[in-house]
Amino acid sequence: MRPTSSLFLAVPQPADHLPEALLSLIQELTAVMTEENALLAAGLPTAVAGTADRKVELSDRFDHLWSSYAGRCRLTLVTDQDTAHRLIQAVTALRKVATENVGRLDAALAASRRRIDTAMTALRGDVAPSRGYGTTGAVSLVARLPVATTIL
């Protein structure tokens, strides 16, 4: 379980404000993911985006609000059709952005894996011919030849 802010936990919100608090968190999380998607689309690595901590914080706050107060506000959500409609729209928008976010994060991870594989292949190629002695103790032909240099 991730730590949550003690300040947040110390200030409970009345149940009648829960739908607005949930809506605000959903909208903020949507905005953070939209920003991250734009950065990932531009080719920036996830570490540069710097949004992971904020996403975790917002998700934790949402989980806390929902688990602590959801039972008390069900009637508010059901009887206030406008609020219910806004929450449904916000969750729909969040799902769309989150689906895009997962795809972009998967693509970024795949690109990182390809870069690592390319670097490892290059390292293996540099290391292999530099062996000096074979199993019999003889110096290999590659090790005996002078290093080629090109003069322009």
Side-chain angles (χ1 to χ4, degrees):
M1 180 175 203
R2 290 173 238 134
T4 55
S5 168
S6 59
L7 177 63
F8 176 74
L9 296 175
V11 183
Q13 293 187 310
D16 60 338
H17 295 297
L18 177 64
E20 292 301 324
L22 288 172
L23 183 61
S24 175
L25 281 171
I26 291 167
Q27 289 170 338
E28 191 172 353
L29 185 56
T30 301
V32 169
M33 284 187 170
T34 300
E35 175 188 353
E36 183 176 69
N37 288 345
L39 293 170
L40 292 171
L44 292 174
T46 55
V48 174
T51 52
D53 289 340
R54 186 71 180 136
K55 287 191 316 185
V56 168
E57 176 191 343
L58 291 170
S59 296
D60 286 347
R61 287 176 55 197
F62 181 87
D63 287 344
H64 174 74
L65 274 178
W66 187 256
S67 64
S68 297
Y69 301 105
R72 294 189 222 165
C73 76
R74 285 188 191 149
L75 291 177
T76 304
L77 291 175
V78 172
T79 59
D80 183 0
Q81 293 300 319
D82 181 53
T83 301
H85 182 69
R86 291 184 339 187
L87 278 168
I88 290 169
Q89 286 180 322
V91 169
T92 301
L94 177 60
R95 280 188 174 186
K96 181 181 176 187
V97 170
T99 300
E100 178 185 351
N101 191 253
V102 167
R104 292 199 183 276
L105 288 171
D106 284 344
L109 286 172
S112 292
R113 278 190 217 105
R114 284 191 303 274
R115 286 190 295 272
I116 290 169
D117 289 344
T118 300
M120 292 304 294
T121 300
L123 284 172
R124 285 185 199 105
D126 284 348
V127 171
S130 68
R131 294 185 189 137
Y133 296 98
T135 57
T136 63
V139 177
S140 69
L141 178 62
V142 173
R144 287 185 280 165
L145 295 176
V147 177
T149 56
T150 306
I151 300 175
L152 298 177

